[in-house]
Amino acid sequence: MSVDMHKLPKAGHVAAIALLAGTIALPLQASADEAAALPPPGLTFSGVLAGSLQNAKTTEGNLQLDMLLGLPVGPGSLHMEVKAGTSPLTDSVSANFPEAAGLVGEIVDASGKGTAAITQFYYELSPSFGTVDAGLIFSPAYLDKNDIADDEYGQFMGAAFVNNPTIPLPVYALGVAATGAVSSTIGYTLFASSTADLQGGTYAGLLESNGHGAFVAGEMNWKAAGLSGNVGLWQNSDAAFTNFTTGLRETDYGDYGNLNGTLGSEALQWNMRLGFANPRVSQAASFVAGTIAYRSTLPIGESPKPVTYGLGVSYTHASRYMPAPKADMQQMEVYARVEMTEKTSITADMQYLNHSQFDPASTSQWVEGLRISMAF
């Protein structure tokens, strides 16, 4: 994700954008005396545009656009997401310290360049037990979620405070997700997808099975006594996973959990996040992180502006089977997000990284950041 403008989409992406435009502009059957066409009834549209600057020895700029559409169709609804972004820079923050750049490279093509693409396209049903989504889906939207460390567009910018690094989630993949509840306090999510990923790939590649496998997960979530949380199990059989010692293909698997609560009042929220993976194939063998978010106001302009202060600390344990040299990774992040308007926010961010990418030679690196997000 960089300040250089991303190139025009290739033919496949042009077709995707044309499909998006056609969906937005699809008119109702209008009578002959109507002067203009109307959008389909029930059409929903939302999105966010975010730009960021990060500095660590070099400065990297980034621009990302995320748009979501929904339309009632038959007994359910059709959903589509379109993302576009600038290209990550070489020898930059995202290249040298990827754990700090959670907003960089939201969608890249097979050459690693920023592009525009339909990143989700799925049908949703709402049976009596909950919801079922099937199609091109975004796995982080269903698994390992929490309220204060889950969104790089408005919360932490560090990747370790957005998604658990021990879970090798396919980003945009063909799959199915089912959510439901067994009581007023206990719910569940069941997820299954291919490991063929549109992120860094192609639409045709989503249908390829050679070298790919399946990602499956089950999660239970709960709320009780002012606390909430989730625990989950997952397995990934992609061919990219090989045993560090033997070099043979081996399935990655693990478990994870989140615990959330408040201190004193709703203004201060906290989260604890844990994760474990198969150390024979996963560089990140285990992970623990703690985050807090405090909401207040700042006297800016004619009226106070809402502000959120965030603090996160994480420790990622390197697999003992991974070839040397290696070192456990530590990360810390603090940010202040000011909501200038109902739709626009500005975030100042500072991160500390030690042993980025488990490299013992990468020590004590500071990363400064600035982000502007505009929702619509």
Side-chain angles (χ1 to χ4, degrees):
M1 306 188 175
S2 64
V3 289
D4 60 320
M5 297 299 291
H6 70 273
K7 298 180 180 179
L8 291 176
K10 298 180 180 178
H13 297 127
V14 172
I17 295 173
L19 176 59
L20 169 65
T23 301
I24 297 174
L26 181 66
L28 291 170
Q29 182 64 42
S31 60
D33 59 347
E34 287 179 322
L38 298 174
L43 176 68
T44 61
F45 175 78
S46 63
V48 60
L49 176 65
S52 66
L53 284 173
Q54 289 184 289
N55 180 73
K57 300 179 180 179
T58 61
T59 300
E60 180 173 23
N62 160 62
L63 188 65
Q64 296 294 312
L65 174 66
D66 187 358
M67 298 182 293
L68 299 168
L69 297 97
L71 180 67
V73 176
S77 55
L78 189 64
H79 297 264
M80 181 163 61
E81 177 187 58
V82 173
K83 284 188 176 181
T86 51
S87 298
L89 291 176
T90 58
D91 193 24
S92 62
V93 175
S94 62
N96 299 324
F97 312 104
E99 302 86 0
L103 189 58
V104 179
E106 289 281 292
I107 179 64
V108 296
D109 60 21
S111 65
K113 300 295 185 182
T115 187
I118 294 177
T119 50
Q120 293 192 77
F121 194 80
Y122 63 90
Y123 192 71
E124 181 174 277
L125 289 171
S126 299
S128 58
F129 64 81
T131 63
V132 177
D133 298 345
L136 179 60
I137 55 179
F138 179 57
S139 59
Y142 303 93
L143 303 169
D144 183 44
K145 295 180 63 61
N146 69 74
D147 293 333
I148 65 171
D150 199 58
D151 177 18
E152 64 273 29
Y153 286 85
Q155 298 171 343
F156 292 92
M157 295 175 68
F161 304 115
V162 179
N163 296 306
N164 192 318
T166 62
I167 312 174
L169 292 167
V171 186
Y172 314 109
L174 296 175
V176 59
T179 61
V182 296
S183 71
S184 60
T185 59
I186 299 177
Y188 63 87
T189 299
L190 300 175
F191 185 93
S193 78
S194 167
T195 60
D197 202 332
L198 181 64
Q199 176 71 324
T202 64
Y203 289 108
L206 293 173
L207 302 175
E208 294 179 358
S209 59
N210 184 32
H212 297 294
F215 178 89
V216 295
E219 178 181 296
M220 183 188 75
N221 55 78
W222 54 273
K223 295 180 180 179
L227 299 174
S228 65
N230 55 58
V231 291
L233 300 171
W234 58 267
Q235 178 176 291
N236 189 320
S237 61
D238 193 89
F241 296 107
T242 56
N243 187 294
F244 288 126
T245 303
T246 67
L248 300 177
R249 181 174 178 175
E250 184 172 331
T251 296
D252 197 6
Y253 56 83
D255 50 25
Y256 64 90
N258 283 273
L259 181 64
N260 315 290
T262 59
L263 290 176
S265 71
E266 295 294 329
L268 195 153
Q269 295 176 278
W270 58 267
N271 166 260
M272 289 295 297
R273 193 179 225 154
L274 297 170
F276 301 89
N278 179 0
R280 292 176 177 81
V281 300
S282 174
Q283 291 186 344
S286 62
F287 169 78
V288 59
T291 55
I292 60 173
Y294 177 72
R295 293 172 175 81
S296 184
T297 58
L298 279 179
I300 300 176
E302 297 180 356
S303 59
K305 305 296 184 184
V307 59
T308 300
Y309 302 100
L311 168 65
V313 179
S314 72
Y315 189 98
T316 308
H317 178 62
S319 167
R320 66 181 184 275
Y321 297 100
M322 187 168 57
K326 61 189 176 187
D328 295 346
M329 179 167 53
Q330 300 86 39
Q331 186 168 358
M332 181 178 69
E333 180 173 358
V334 292
Y335 75 83
R337 184 184 74 246
V338 181
E339 299 174 32
M340 302 304 296
T341 69
E342 184 179 353
K343 300 288 187 179
T344 304
S345 66
I346 299 176
T347 303
D349 184 86
M350 176 69 76
Q351 297 183 58
Y352 169 83
L353 275 168
N354 193 40
H355 303 149
S356 174
Q357 303 179 78
F358 304 109
D359 182 0
S362 178
T363 59
S364 300
Q365 179 62 53
W366 292 93
V367 181
E368 304 94 15
L370 179 69
R371 176 184 61 207
I372 300 177
S373 297
M374 295 176 287
F376 52 88

